Amino acid sequence: VINAIAQNGFYVSDEFLSLEHFQQLHELLQSWQAEGQFKAAKIGLNATKTQAIQIRGDEIAWLDAGENHPAIKAYFTAINAVKDRLNQAFFLSLTDYEAHFAIYPPQSFYKKHVDQFKTANHRQISCVYYLNPQWQASFGGELNLYTAEDELLSTILPLANRFVCFKSNLPHEVLTSHYPRYSIAGWLKTRSHAVL
Ligand code: OGA
Ligand code: MN
């Protein structure tokens, strides 16, 4: 993870969690969906729903790090290990983490964007973990990652148990997905400071 981030700005792991925990997270996402826990993602404080859907069509449900579910615990433990490595190697002070389940319904996408907000740079490393048991290339839904100079860096399929992390200032997009696309999106952050 250290070499990949230092050299390319991103890292991909194809066996992030055990298959048991992968399966449990996939099932948990589906049961939360059945319970109606997912809400349309927003884009900015003042944007309307119609404006938002032209930029991103995913539906999200936030995860609680304190959740007493074995697979959620395993997920946060694995993220913490990544965080500790990055802190040691790059003298970062990543302290906080926030994450949500995401569902991209058929024909939805997320236009090219960066994950750092214009007013605050607390999000340093973006993390995505894919929960799609039988993904096929024909489904679309690729993650395209770009360099800070906007050159295509990599095209990544949302395959089962695949984890991707990248510097949050890099532009990226989710191409139109033709099949329901499941993931956990999260961000390692430096501690928030009050804006004076
Ligand atoms: C995001 C995002 C990428 C993906 O949620 O901000 O860019 O592959 N997700 O789902
Ligand atoms: Mn993003």
Side-chain angles (χ1 to χ4, degrees):
V1 62
I2 301 309
N3 291 336
I5 293 276
Q7 285 167 26
N8 308 315
F10 75 101
Y11 164 74
V12 181
S13 161
D14 277 334
E15 285 166 49
F16 190 58
L17 299 181
S18 69
L19 285 181
E20 189 190 2
H21 287 143
F22 163 80
Q23 191 61 37
Q24 287 175 4
L25 286 170
H26 176 258
E27 280 161 18
L28 189 65
L29 179 149
Q30 290 196 308
S31 66
W32 284 21
Q33 182 180 29
E35 291 164 14
Q37 307 254 28
F38 282 78
K39 300 277 176 297
K42 301 201 165 135
I43 52 165
L45 293 180
N46 298 313
T48 66
K49 237 180 161 172
T50 333
Q51 288 167 328
I53 211 148
Q54 286 158 12
I55 294 180
R56 65 184 296 188
D58 56 327
E59 292 165 12
I60 66 171
W62 289 94
L63 287 176
D64 181 353
E67 204 89 50
N68 197 23
H69 181 290
I72 294 189
K73 279 190 178 166
Y75 170 77
F76 279 99
T77 301
I79 291 290
N80 261 314
V82 171
K83 182 187 75 181
D84 290 345
R85 295 264 175 133
L86 293 171
N87 277 336
Q88 287 161 13
F90 300 120
F91 306 102
L92 293 172
S93 43
L94 303 169
T95 50
D96 300 340
Y97 189 68
E98 59 185 359
H100 59 62
F101 278 132
I103 300 175
Y104 286 75
Q107 310 318 328
S108 64
F109 50 79
Y110 194 159
K111 294 274 189 205
K112 198 194 281 184
H113 65 282
V114 295
D115 288 341
Q116 285 182 344
F117 298 117
K118 289 199 171 66
T119 48
N121 287 339
H122 302 132
R123 287 180 171 180
Q124 304 295 336
I125 303 285
S126 303
C127 302
V128 195
Y129 175 62
Y130 297 112
L131 293 170
N132 305 301
Q134 305 281 353
W135 198 261
Q136 318 229 333
S138 61
F139 295 167
E142 299 92 340
L143 168 66
N144 269 348
L145 268 179
Y146 297 85
T147 65
E149 292 74 36
D150 224 18
E151 287 156 17
L152 185 63
L153 196 59
S154 190
T155 295
I156 297 162
L157 289 176
L159 300 184
N161 209 16
R162 172 173 276 181
F163 171 81
V164 185
C165 65
F166 56 91
K167 292 162 74 178
S168 296
N169 64 337
L170 296 181
H172 56 282
E173 67 190 332
V174 177
L175 300 183
T176 301
S177 186
H178 306 294
Y179 195 83
R181 179 189 191 270
Y182 301 146
S183 63
I184 298 175
W187 297 272
L188 287 164
K189 306 192 296 178
T190 49
R191 195 173 303 289
S192 316
H193 297 285
V195 178
L196 298 176

